[in-house]
Amino acid sequence: MLVHYIKIAFRNIWKYKTQSLTGIFGLAFGLACLVPALYWMRYETTYDSSYPDADRLYRVYAMEKSSGKVSELVPIILSRKLSEQVPAVEAATVFMAESNNCKTETVPHISLRTLTTNNSFFGVFPQEFVSGDTQQPLLLLHNIVLTESIAIRLFGDVESAIGKQIQSTYYFFNPPYTVTAVVKDPPENTNLSFDALLNHDMLTGMLEMEEQFQWIQYASQVYVKFYPHTDTGRLGEELCDFISRSGGSENSDMGIMPITDVRHQLSSNIFTLNFIRLFVAAGILLLFSALFNFMNLYLDLFRQRIQEFRQRTVHGAKSRQLIRQMLFELSCSILLALLLGGGLVFLVRPTFSRLLDLTMDGSALITLFVGCGIGLMLLMLLIGLITFWRLGRLAMQPLSKEAKSGQPLLRRVAVTLQIAVSVVFIVAALVVMLQMHFVDRKEMGFDRAGIIQLYGLPPYMEGSLRTALIQGLEAIPQIENITTSNFEPLHNAKPEELISYVDWPGKSSDETAVFNMIPVDSRFADLFGLKIVAGEWWSDSYNGGMQKVVLNEEAIRVMGLSEPIGTIIRLSMDNVDLDIAGLETEAEYQVVGVVNDFHTLSLRSPILPTIFRESIPLNALIVTENILYLHVMPGQEQEVMQRIRTALSAIDPTFAELRLTTLDELYDNFNQSEQVGLKMFSVLATVCLLISLFGIYAVAAAAAQRRRKEIAIRKVMGAKAGDIVRMFFREYILQVIIAGAFALPLAYLVMSRWLVGYAYRTNIPWWLLAGVIVSVVAVVLFTVWGQVWKAGSSNPAEVVKTE
């Protein structure tokens, strides 16, 4: 019996191949789009969830009361104070993340992502030890714990690494680090990605400072682990003023955040969580569109076989046997779709990995696919069971009792929903394209052409080495200008570069404003081609007198200065590097110039009021401005970058790790999420529209076959072929209009909310929405034209003879 059912199932799939293959391929494409999207969603929302008791791990952050500015970095003393004063805290740890250039006896240079911390780290974030001291590996100063991959890279194997020494070329004045343990590499989806854990005197020195100084050093990350069943919501409200009432700044509030939320609520990422959710929702819509199409086509296929089922009942078949046969045939088609979908998922896996810059684990992908496949199959079999029960009863009834009706309502609804989903995706892709076009044409306020960024200079560098670097770059003839700065194009300003303690003449006591502070040198404006609106850019270097600043137009507007040149403003900055370098963190500055507003951030963020201050001199030991910008003739960037790489290696081996990028590329990277979104929505729109069109074609063919009597009678009564064509066209045009009535407002609402994420954005024009509907109508009519014209041109006499 099973073999017999299999033969019947595949014989009918081939007999009705247009409908069957359309449904099978559509469902497979829907799964191939949804499963990678769900994997991405799970990947992004499970950051650091692999740690034991991850639900009890929280990140501590600070926020200014006056301005609302959020700081990821907090006072270093918070770790100890929370452990001592908050009973709900089971453990707490503090660390500082940085890149540390090092070397060994056999490896001349390696850049390590280092977390400077102590043994408290393992109480909050337990590690899987591979070798060495598992109890207190960071007990002594300059003890270092390596990850497994780094230990093998440096020393050949993990056992040989224990007791070996690593010399820092970043902190060249420090003694070597001693390897005490090796741990497993951290997972990819973690905010705590590291190559080494280090007990360094930079951290211990801060922890040994007097409390009043520890409270002002916003330079560390603090995590806490709460006891089980702690009401963290209520506790978070109670700890809001913990900093101010414990001896810290009166203007600072404290917050706690689950570790799994840090990725998308505290850090800056290319893809926002809303974008990921939008893509998952799009995948679900596409799958449901494919599901509607599949069930619509197959239910129509079974209706066409009602005479076959009646013949079976004449030969003794029962209703339950017919239902069992239809469910089996449906199951075969679903399994074929799942097998094809699984192959497509692994076929598109490399493309998704490349677009999203993540490694998709094969076993996890299979597990997710199997779960989706089982759920989808159960849902479809349930729908089929309900429908087949009705068909089974219909097959048992006499022919005279069969209800005569036109095209079933369910089929109309299914086709309309497919068209609606297609319209949503088409509008989404077009709006993303419009926004990218707007971004590409938006005037940035300066000329990006010919500017190269050299990024990654260590802040601790001998003055002679830094001088040798500058001289080596100046020796390259194509380089016309060099400037040093802390300016880095980002989506959002770094919290440590935002200051709110700014006083100016006429400022009222209740005014609060956040300014972007960018340290630059005297050549910055010339290299970037900024327009001097008033005054001038300073030309002399830092000389210990009153420091000079230049403001942008937005800063002048915020301050309300009518005559800004010569105005004295007072700035207060909490910066340990400035303290060590001997520069004042609270001082008066003279405004010497005003420059035009230009985009230091992406178009997602508005132009901030910006203060350009004099950078630390090149001969200082500690320099916070570790970015160089080089100006060359436009078109020569790649050639010059190759010469720079050669020169860097000759000056110092550690410079080989420095990043060279054109400024055009940096700003283009801002649009990476939009470029990915455009590709994704274009694919979704194309796949969904094709599924809809194939479905409409199959439905049109079935409708023409089913309504051949009606068409013949109309023609006998005098209807022309054109009248028959117009009758069918009216039905499909009406369906597209109904689909557009639902889809266009939804698409407009969703994409308008997406555009709100940009401070500078395009509008959604009415002609785009109208054009989509007109285009979809044209494509649908073109799709069904052949079947409709064939039906309209048929000879009614042939129909009469066959019926």
Side-chain angles (χ1 to χ4, degrees):
M1 182 63 72
L2 179 61
V3 175
H4 179 66
Y5 276 175
I6 292 175
K7 287 182 179 179
I8 294 175
F10 283 94
R11 187 181 299 142
N12 283 308
I13 288 175
W14 183 249
K15 180 180 179 181
Y16 301 96
K17 50 183 174 292
T18 301
Q19 289 171 273
S20 301
L21 295 180
T22 297
I24 289 172
F25 275 91
L27 197 60
F29 279 119
L31 282 170
C33 291
L34 177 61
V35 172
L38 290 175
Y39 181 95
W40 185 25
M41 181 74 172
R42 188 175 69 174
Y43 180 90
E44 291 287 338
T45 55
T46 56
Y47 259 64
D48 295 308
S49 61
S50 59
Y51 285 108
D53 304 316
D55 58 323
R56 297 193 280 130
L57 302 182
Y58 281 73
R59 171 79 177 267
V60 179
Y61 63 94
M63 183 172 60
E64 282 187 359
K65 295 179 182 178
S66 58
S67 64
K69 183 185 77 172
V70 174
S71 174
E72 300 179 39
L73 305 179
V74 296
I76 196 169
I77 197 175
L78 269 180
S79 174
R80 177 169 62 86
K81 288 292 185 181
L82 288 169
S83 297
E84 293 174 350
Q85 299 182 19
V86 182
V89 173
E90 180 180 339
T93 187
V94 59
F95 60 84
M96 291 181 285
E98 61 182 345
S99 179
N100 194 342
N101 293 331
C102 300
K103 65 180 180 179
T104 67
E105 293 181 355
T106 57
V107 179
H109 174 72
I110 185 172
S111 181
L112 299 179
R113 296 168 299 169
T114 306
L115 300 184
T116 302
T117 184
N118 50 39
N119 283 317
S120 67
F121 183 85
F122 303 101
V124 179
F125 302 108
Q127 302 294 313
E128 184 178 350
F129 285 86
V130 180
S131 180
D133 185 356
T134 62
Q135 301 301 316
Q136 292 185 313
L138 297 179
L139 178 63
L140 301 178
L141 199 61
H142 301 143
N143 282 354
I144 190 170
V145 176
L146 301 179
T147 59
E148 186 176 16
S149 60
I150 294 297
I152 293 174
R153 178 179 172 185
L154 293 178
F155 304 107
D157 60 80
V158 294
E159 298 296 337
S160 301
I162 306 304
K164 291 294 196 307
Q165 292 189 331
I166 300 174
Q167 177 63 57
S168 172
T169 56
Y170 189 87
Y171 299 103
F172 56 88
F173 42 80
N174 278 154
Y177 309 140
T178 302
V179 180
T180 58
V182 177
V183 298
K184 285 286 188 182
D185 289 10
E188 285 192 9
N189 58 337
T190 177
N191 293 294
L192 306 176
S193 185
F194 62 88
D195 298 319
L197 303 171
L198 174 64
N199 186 345
H200 195 273
D201 51 9
M202 179 174 62
L203 178 68
T204 56
M206 289 184 180
L207 291 172
E208 292 172 357
M209 290 180 177
E210 295 183 15
E211 285 194 5
Q212 59 179 341
F213 295 110
Q214 291 190 47
W215 278 115
I216 65 174
Q217 306 301 339
Y218 285 70
S220 60
Q221 299 183 38
V222 171
Y223 283 84
V224 296
K225 180 179 180 180
F226 292 113
Y227 282 107
H229 311 300
T230 299
D231 186 351
T232 53
R234 180 182 58 82
L235 184 62
E237 295 177 359
E238 295 176 356
L239 294 178
C240 184
D241 61 345
F242 184 83
I243 293 177
S244 56
R245 60 184 166 87
S246 299
S249 171
E250 294 291 335
N251 192 35
S252 288
D253 278 340
M254 192 192 87
I256 56 175
M257 179 182 297
I259 191 173
T260 52
D261 292 347
V262 172
R263 165 76 170 171
H264 290 283
Q265 293 192 24
L266 203 57
S267 303
S268 179
N269 302 288
I270 294 176
F271 301 103
T272 65
L273 193 56
N274 283 337
F275 177 86
I276 299 170
R277 288 170 177 163
L278 179 63
F279 183 59
V280 171
I284 293 173
L285 279 176
L286 176 59
L287 182 61
F288 271 100
S289 176
L291 172 62
F292 288 141
N293 185 65
F294 183 93
M295 296 304 296
N296 184 33
L297 292 174
Y298 264 83
L299 293 180
D300 188 69
L301 185 152
F302 286 122
R303 290 190 191 96
Q304 293 179 51
R305 295 168 56 193
I306 192 68
Q307 296 298 333
E308 172 194 336
F309 296 141
R310 284 203 172 96
Q311 291 177 9
R312 289 180 181 273
T313 61
V314 170
H315 290 84
K318 304 296 183 182
S319 177
R320 62 177 179 272
Q321 292 175 318
L322 296 178
I323 294 173
R324 185 164 60 242
Q325 178 186 339
M326 287 186 282
L327 284 175
F328 184 83
E329 292 186 28
L330 181 64
S331 299
C332 289
S333 298
I334 295 173
L335 287 174
L336 284 176
L338 293 180
L339 289 174
L340 180 60
L344 288 175
V345 165
F346 278 87
L347 190 64
V348 302
R349 175 187 172 194
T351 303
F352 269 90
S353 298
R354 184 174 62 255
L355 284 176
L356 306 177
D357 193 24
L358 61 88
T359 302
M360 303 184 78
D361 180 66
S363 59
L365 199 61
I366 291 174
T367 302
L368 189 60
F369 176 81
V370 170
C372 290
I374 292 175
L376 186 64
M377 188 169 189
L378 292 176
L379 174 63
M380 296 173 73
L381 289 178
L382 178 61
I383 297 172
L385 179 62
I386 297 172
T387 309
F388 296 157
W389 176 75
R390 298 182 62 184
L391 279 176
R393 291 185 61 188
L394 182 62
M396 301 297 291
Q397 293 176 356
L399 185 62
S400 58
K401 294 185 177 180
E402 181 180 354
K404 305 294 182 182
S405 63
Q407 189 175 4
L409 177 62
L410 178 61
R411 189 177 307 136
R412 292 175 182 269
V413 172
V415 171
T416 303
L417 285 175
Q418 293 173 54
I419 296 173
V421 174
S422 301
V423 169
V424 170
F425 289 148
I426 293 171
V427 171
L430 291 176
V431 171
V432 173
M433 189 182 300
L434 281 178
Q435 177 63 15
M436 290 188 63
H437 181 70
F438 174 83
V439 169
D440 290 339
R441 295 174 60 88
K442 179 74 170 66
E443 178 61 44
M444 302 301 292
F446 67 97
D447 186 7
R448 301 183 302 184
I451 299 180
I452 299 172
Q453 184 197 72
L454 179 61
Y455 180 87
L457 293 174
Y460 296 89
M461 189 193 307
E462 295 180 16
S464 58
L465 184 59
R466 194 174 183 91
T467 301
L469 172 63
I470 299 298
Q471 292 176 349
L473 295 174
E474 290 176 340
I476 299 175
Q478 292 97 328
I479 297 179
E480 301 175 343
N481 201 352
I482 302 175
T483 184
T484 178
S485 171
N486 209 31
F487 163 60
E488 181 182 6
L490 297 169
H491 279 298
N492 301 297
K494 296 178 180 178
E496 59 268 25
E497 294 178 357
L498 298 176
I499 62 171
S500 56
Y501 297 100
V502 181
D503 289 320
W504 62 86
K507 178 184 178 182
S508 61
S509 58
D510 59 343
E511 279 189 85
T512 58
V514 176
F515 293 81
N516 192 18
M517 170 72 77
I518 303 179
V520 295
D521 64 12
S522 58
R523 293 168 289 186
F524 183 84
D526 182 52
L527 187 142
F528 280 84
L530 301 181
K531 179 183 178 182
I532 307 298
V533 177
E536 62 180 5
W537 198 275
W538 64 81
S539 57
D540 56 324
S541 61
Y542 174 72
N543 55 19
M546 179 176 289
Q547 298 177 72
K548 301 176 177 61
V549 294
V550 172
L551 308 179
N552 70 347
E553 294 174 298
E554 179 64 15
I556 298 299
R557 188 193 66 78
V558 170
M559 293 181 179
L561 300 177
S562 56
E563 297 291 337
I565 306 304
T567 300
I568 305 300
I569 63 175
R570 187 171 185 83
L571 309 180
S572 178
M573 297 170 288
D574 294 330
N575 192 315
V576 64
D577 289 332
L578 293 180
D579 284 331
I580 299 174
L583 301 180
E584 297 184 63
T585 58
E586 185 172 352
E588 293 182 341
Y589 295 77
Q590 182 183 22
V591 179
V592 296
V594 179
V595 296
N596 63 296
D597 288 335
F598 68 99
H599 290 276
T600 60
L601 306 171
S602 76
L603 297 186
R604 294 182 186 177
S605 301
I607 294 177
L608 298 176
T610 305
I611 302 173
F612 302 93
R613 69 165 176 84
E614 293 178 275
S615 60
I616 300 173
L618 290 176
N619 59 359
L621 173 63
I622 301 172
V623 180
T624 57
E625 295 75 51
N626 61 345
I627 303 175
L628 294 180
Y629 287 94
L630 321 170
H631 191 275
V632 302
M633 285 293 294
Q636 298 183 351
E637 292 91 343
Q638 297 303 321
E639 177 189 349
V640 174
M641 287 168 66
Q642 187 59 43
R643 297 194 62 175
I644 292 173
R645 291 188 182 97
T646 303
L648 292 175
S649 300
I651 296 171
D652 191 273
T654 62
F655 288 162
E657 295 286 338
L658 299 181
R659 187 186 74 193
L660 276 169
T661 319
T662 64
L663 202 61
D664 269 333
E665 185 178 348
L666 287 173
Y667 275 91
D668 289 342
N669 286 341
F670 287 152
N671 304 327
Q672 183 177 349
S673 64
E674 290 77 12
Q675 293 168 355
V676 172
L678 178 60
K679 293 175 182 178
M680 289 180 172
F681 283 117
S682 298
V683 170
L684 291 175
T686 303
V687 171
C688 189
L689 187 58
L690 287 175
I691 292 173
S692 301
L693 293 178
F694 279 121
I696 291 171
Y697 178 84
V699 167
Q705 178 66 19
R706 186 180 62 255
R707 299 173 65 181
R708 61 188 182 278
K709 283 186 183 180
E710 175 192 344
I711 296 171
I713 294 172
R714 287 180 181 271
K715 296 195 72 174
V716 169
M717 299 300 294
K720 306 293 185 183
D723 298 328
I724 304 299
V725 171
R726 283 192 293 273
M727 177 186 70
F728 277 93
F729 275 8
R730 279 197 300 270
E731 292 182 8
Y732 291 111
I733 291 174
L734 180 61
Q735 285 182 296
V736 174
I737 292 174
I738 294 174
F742 286 98
L744 291 182
L746 176 62
Y748 183 86
L749 177 63
V750 171
M751 297 314 296
S752 294
R753 293 188 63 180
W754 177 75
L755 286 172
V756 168
Y758 292 84
Y760 305 91
R761 55 186 178 269
T762 187
N763 296 315
I764 303 178
W766 66 268
W767 53 261
L768 183 143
L769 304 178
V772 168
I773 289 297
V774 172
S775 301
V776 171
V777 167
V779 171
V780 168
L781 296 184
F782 178 78
T783 302
V784 301
W785 165 258
Q787 291 294 329
V788 171
W789 179 255
K790 181 179 177 181
S793 304
S794 61
N795 187 350
E798 296 295 330
V799 177
V800 172
K801 284 191 290 185
T802 58
E803 292 293 335

mmCIF file of all heavy atoms in Angstrom, residues 654-678:
data_model
loop_
_atom_site.group_PDB
_atom_site.id
_atom_site.type_symbol
_atom_site.label_atom_id
_atom_site.label_comp_id
_atom_site.label_asym_id
_atom_site.label_seq_id
_atom_site.Cartn_x
_atom_site.Cartn_y
_atom_site.Cartn_z
ATOM 1 N N THR A 654 56.697 46.966 14.597
ATOM 2 C CA THR A 654 55.348 47.027 15.180
ATOM 3 C C THR A 654 54.398 47.861 14.322
ATOM 4 O O THR A 654 53.185 47.702 14.408
ATOM 5 C CB THR A 654 55.404 47.615 16.592
ATOM 6 O OG1 THR A 654 55.911 48.962 16.529
ATOM 7 C CG2 THR A 654 56.305 46.784 17.493
ATOM 8 N N PHE A 655 54.946 48.744 13.489
ATOM 9 C CA PHE A 655 54.099 49.589 12.651
ATOM 10 C C PHE A 655 53.421 48.795 11.522
ATOM 11 O O PHE A 655 52.527 49.316 10.854
ATOM 12 C CB PHE A 655 54.914 50.736 12.046
ATOM 13 C CG PHE A 655 55.306 51.795 13.053
ATOM 14 C CD1 PHE A 655 56.329 52.696 12.788
ATOM 15 C CD2 PHE A 655 54.656 51.883 14.274
ATOM 16 C CE1 PHE A 655 56.689 53.661 13.708
ATOM 17 C CE2 PHE A 655 55.015 52.843 15.204
ATOM 18 C CZ PHE A 655 56.039 53.730 14.916
ATOM 19 N N ALA A 656 53.853 47.556 11.330
ATOM 20 C CA ALA A 656 53.231 46.742 10.285
ATOM 21 C C ALA A 656 51.773 46.453 10.585
ATOM 22 O O ALA A 656 50.993 46.128 9.688
ATOM 23 C CB ALA A 656 53.998 45.435 10.117
ATOM 24 N N GLU A 657 51.379 46.557 11.875
ATOM 25 C CA GLU A 657 49.999 46.278 12.273
ATOM 26 C C GLU A 657 49.086 47.484 12.107
ATOM 27 O O GLU A 657 47.878 47.377 12.295
ATOM 28 C CB GLU A 657 49.958 45.828 13.741
ATOM 29 C CG GLU A 657 50.651 44.501 14.009
ATOM 30 C CD GLU A 657 49.844 43.324 13.508
ATOM 31 O OE1 GLU A 657 48.612 43.469 13.346
ATOM 32 O OE2 GLU A 657 50.427 42.260 13.266
ATOM 33 N N LEU A 658 49.648 48.658 11.788
ATOM 34 C CA LEU A 658 48.826 49.862 11.660
ATOM 35 C C LEU A 658 47.881 49.723 10.471
ATOM 36 O O LEU A 658 48.200 49.102 9.454
ATOM 37 C CB LEU A 658 49.710 51.090 11.481
ATOM 38 C CG LEU A 658 50.688 51.390 12.636
ATOM 39 C CD1 LEU A 658 51.495 52.643 12.339
ATOM 40 C CD2 LEU A 658 49.949 51.538 13.950
ATOM 41 N N ARG A 659 46.694 50.305 10.609
ATOM 42 C CA ARG A 659 45.660 50.184 9.589
ATOM 43 C C ARG A 659 45.687 51.381 8.654
ATOM 44 O O ARG A 659 45.635 52.526 9.091
ATOM 45 C CB ARG A 659 44.288 50.080 10.257
ATOM 46 C CG ARG A 659 43.147 49.780 9.283
ATOM 47 C CD ARG A 659 41.817 49.826 9.998
ATOM 48 N NE ARG A 659 41.418 51.197 10.296
ATOM 49 C CZ ARG A 659 40.437 51.533 11.130
ATOM 50 N NH1 ARG A 659 39.796 50.594 11.785
ATOM 51 N NH2 ARG A 659 40.133 52.807 11.338
ATOM 52 N N LEU A 660 45.765 51.098 7.369
ATOM 53 C CA LEU A 660 45.726 52.137 6.340
ATOM 54 C C LEU A 660 44.406 52.036 5.590
ATOM 55 O O LEU A 660 44.075 50.984 5.048
ATOM 56 C CB LEU A 660 46.895 51.968 5.362
ATOM 57 C CG LEU A 660 48.240 52.580 5.750
ATOM 58 C CD1 LEU A 660 49.320 52.087 4.798
ATOM 59 C CD2 LEU A 660 48.187 54.093 5.737
ATOM 60 N N THR A 661 43.666 53.140 5.559
ATOM 61 C CA THR A 661 42.367 53.155 4.895
ATOM 62 C C THR A 661 42.128 54.525 4.287
ATOM 63 O O THR A 661 42.502 55.547 4.874
ATOM 64 C CB THR A 661 41.221 52.856 5.888
ATOM 65 O OG1 THR A 661 41.600 51.816 6.769
ATOM 66 C CG2 THR A 661 39.954 52.468 5.161
ATOM 67 N N THR A 662 41.518 54.558 3.125
ATOM 68 C CA THR A 662 41.132 55.845 2.558
ATOM 69 C C THR A 662 39.892 56.353 3.292
ATOM 70 O O THR A 662 39.062 55.565 3.763
ATOM 71 C CB THR A 662 40.832 55.733 1.061
ATOM 72 O OG1 THR A 662 39.697 54.890 0.875
ATOM 73 C CG2 THR A 662 42.022 55.164 0.304
ATOM 74 N N LEU A 663 39.771 57.664 3.364
ATOM 75 C CA LEU A 663 38.620 58.253 4.051
ATOM 76 C C LEU A 663 37.326 57.946 3.301
ATOM 77 O O LEU A 663 36.271 57.778 3.921
ATOM 78 C CB LEU A 663 38.816 59.765 4.184
ATOM 79 C CG LEU A 663 38.002 60.445 5.302
ATOM 80 C CD1 LEU A 663 38.373 59.889 6.653
ATOM 81 C CD2 LEU A 663 38.210 61.956 5.274
ATOM 82 N N ASP A 664 37.415 57.851 1.983
ATOM 83 C CA ASP A 664 36.235 57.460 1.191
ATOM 84 C C ASP A 664 35.718 56.100 1.631
ATOM 85 O O ASP A 664 34.510 55.892 1.784
ATOM 86 C CB ASP A 664 36.592 57.413 -0.300
ATOM 87 C CG ASP A 664 36.346 58.746 -0.990
ATOM 88 O OD1 ASP A 664 35.479 59.493 -0.507
ATOM 89 O OD2 ASP A 664 37.018 59.042 -1.987
ATOM 90 N N GLU A 665 36.632 55.158 1.860
ATOM 91 C CA GLU A 665 36.237 53.810 2.267
ATOM 92 C C GLU A 665 35.611 53.827 3.656
ATOM 93 O O GLU A 665 34.639 53.105 3.925
ATOM 94 C CB GLU A 665 37.452 52.883 2.243
ATOM 95 C CG GLU A 665 37.128 51.426 2.543
ATOM 96 C CD GLU A 665 38.340 50.531 2.460
ATOM 97 O OE1 GLU A 665 39.384 50.991 1.942
ATOM 98 O OE2 GLU A 665 38.263 49.380 2.926
ATOM 99 N N LEU A 666 36.149 54.638 4.557
ATOM 100 C CA LEU A 666 35.592 54.722 5.908
ATOM 101 C C LEU A 666 34.153 55.219 5.879
ATOM 102 O O LEU A 666 33.276 54.670 6.561
ATOM 103 C CB LEU A 666 36.451 55.656 6.772
ATOM 104 C CG LEU A 666 37.814 55.124 7.211
ATOM 105 C CD1 LEU A 666 38.605 56.225 7.915
ATOM 106 C CD2 LEU A 666 37.662 53.924 8.130
ATOM 107 N N TYR A 667 33.895 56.258 5.099
ATOM 108 C CA TYR A 667 32.530 56.794 5.026
ATOM 109 C C TYR A 667 31.604 55.847 4.258
ATOM 110 O O TYR A 667 30.426 55.754 4.568
ATOM 111 C CB TYR A 667 32.538 58.182 4.380
ATOM 112 C CG TYR A 667 32.814 59.288 5.372
ATOM 113 C CD1 TYR A 667 34.111 59.719 5.624
ATOM 114 C CD2 TYR A 667 31.789 59.885 6.092
ATOM 115 C CE1 TYR A 667 34.387 60.724 6.542
ATOM 116 C CE2 TYR A 667 32.035 60.897 7.007
ATOM 117 C CZ TYR A 667 33.337 61.307 7.242
ATOM 118 O OH TYR A 667 33.593 62.287 8.175
ATOM 119 N N ASP A 668 32.162 55.151 3.269
ATOM 120 C CA ASP A 668 31.343 54.175 2.554
ATOM 121 C C ASP A 668 30.937 53.026 3.466
ATOM 122 O O ASP A 668 29.855 52.440 3.294
ATOM 123 C CB ASP A 668 32.099 53.624 1.339
ATOM 124 C CG ASP A 668 32.232 54.658 0.223
ATOM 125 O OD1 ASP A 668 31.465 55.646 0.251
ATOM 126 O OD2 ASP A 668 33.101 54.487 -0.648
ATOM 127 N N ASN A 669 31.791 52.679 4.427
ATOM 128 C CA ASN A 669 31.464 51.601 5.362
ATOM 129 C C ASN A 669 30.256 51.940 6.225
ATOM 130 O O ASN A 669 29.620 51.039 6.786
ATOM 131 C CB ASN A 669 32.668 51.292 6.260
ATOM 132 C CG ASN A 669 33.757 50.540 5.513
ATOM 133 O OD1 ASN A 669 33.502 49.946 4.464
ATOM 134 N ND2 ASN A 669 34.970 50.579 6.032
ATOM 135 N N PHE A 670 29.963 53.238 6.375
ATOM 136 C CA PHE A 670 28.768 53.630 7.125
ATOM 137 C C PHE A 670 27.512 53.060 6.475
ATOM 138 O O PHE A 670 26.506 52.840 7.151
ATOM 139 C CB PHE A 670 28.642 55.158 7.179
ATOM 140 C CG PHE A 670 29.641 55.813 8.090
ATOM 141 C CD1 PHE A 670 30.069 57.100 7.857
ATOM 142 C CD2 PHE A 670 30.158 55.150 9.186
ATOM 143 C CE1 PHE A 670 30.976 57.722 8.689
ATOM 144 C CE2 PHE A 670 31.074 55.756 10.026
ATOM 145 C CZ PHE A 670 31.487 57.041 9.780
ATOM 146 N N ASN A 671 27.577 52.861 5.174
ATOM 147 C CA ASN A 671 26.407 52.401 4.435
ATOM 148 C C ASN A 671 26.366 50.881 4.293
ATOM 149 O O ASN A 671 25.583 50.357 3.499
ATOM 150 C CB ASN A 671 26.381 53.036 3.036
ATOM 151 C CG ASN A 671 26.430 54.540 3.082
ATOM 152 O OD1 ASN A 671 25.908 55.158 4.009
ATOM 153 N ND2 ASN A 671 27.076 55.136 2.101
ATOM 154 N N GLN A 672 27.212 50.169 5.051
ATOM 155 C CA GLN A 672 27.267 48.723 4.888
ATOM 156 C C GLN A 672 25.924 48.068 5.201
ATOM 157 O O GLN A 672 25.466 47.176 4.478
ATOM 158 C CB GLN A 672 28.350 48.124 5.786
ATOM 159 C CG GLN A 672 28.511 46.611 5.609
ATOM 160 C CD GLN A 672 29.632 46.048 6.440
ATOM 161 O OE1 GLN A 672 30.452 46.773 7.008
ATOM 162 N NE2 GLN A 672 29.695 44.729 6.540
ATOM 163 N N SER A 673 25.286 48.530 6.280
ATOM 164 C CA SER A 673 23.996 47.925 6.623
ATOM 165 C C SER A 673 22.958 48.223 5.542
ATOM 166 O O SER A 673 22.121 47.375 5.226
ATOM 167 C CB SER A 673 23.510 48.440 7.984
ATOM 168 O OG SER A 673 23.254 49.832 7.950
ATOM 169 N N GLU A 674 23.018 49.424 4.957
ATOM 170 C CA GLU A 674 22.080 49.769 3.895
ATOM 171 C C GLU A 674 22.354 48.940 2.637
ATOM 172 O O GLU A 674 21.428 48.486 1.959
ATOM 173 C CB GLU A 674 22.168 51.265 3.561
ATOM 174 C CG GLU A 674 21.619 52.171 4.629
ATOM 175 C CD GLU A 674 22.572 52.330 5.802
ATOM 176 O OE1 GLU A 674 23.746 51.914 5.697
ATOM 177 O OE2 GLU A 674 22.139 52.857 6.839
ATOM 178 N N GLN A 675 23.651 48.737 2.331
ATOM 179 C CA GLN A 675 23.992 47.933 1.170
ATOM 180 C C GLN A 675 23.527 46.492 1.356
ATOM 181 O O GLN A 675 22.978 45.877 0.427
ATOM 182 C CB GLN A 675 25.501 47.987 0.936
ATOM 183 C CG GLN A 675 25.995 49.359 0.513
ATOM 184 C CD GLN A 675 27.510 49.471 0.563
ATOM 185 O OE1 GLN A 675 28.194 48.560 1.004
ATOM 186 N NE2 GLN A 675 28.034 50.595 0.120
ATOM 187 N N VAL A 676 23.756 45.950 2.558
ATOM 188 C CA VAL A 676 23.292 44.601 2.850
ATOM 189 C C VAL A 676 21.772 44.554 2.803
ATOM 190 O O VAL A 676 21.168 43.622 2.249
ATOM 191 C CB VAL A 676 23.809 44.129 4.224
ATOM 192 C CG1 VAL A 676 23.162 42.801 4.627
ATOM 193 C CG2 VAL A 676 25.318 43.982 4.198
ATOM 194 N N GLY A 677 21.133 45.573 3.402
ATOM 195 C CA GLY A 677 19.680 45.624 3.402
ATOM 196 C C GLY A 677 19.115 45.696 2.001
ATOM 197 O O GLY A 677 18.108 45.032 1.681
ATOM 198 N N LEU A 678 19.763 46.485 1.127
ATOM 199 C CA LEU A 678 19.288 46.592 -0.253
ATOM 200 C C LEU A 678 19.381 45.245 -0.962
ATOM 201 O O LEU A 678 18.446 44.830 -1.660
ATOM 202 C CB LEU A 678 20.109 47.646 -1.009
ATOM 203 C CG LEU A 678 19.760 47.842 -2.483
ATOM 204 C CD1 LEU A 678 18.311 48.267 -2.640
ATOM 205 C CD2 LEU A 678 20.704 48.868 -3.116
#
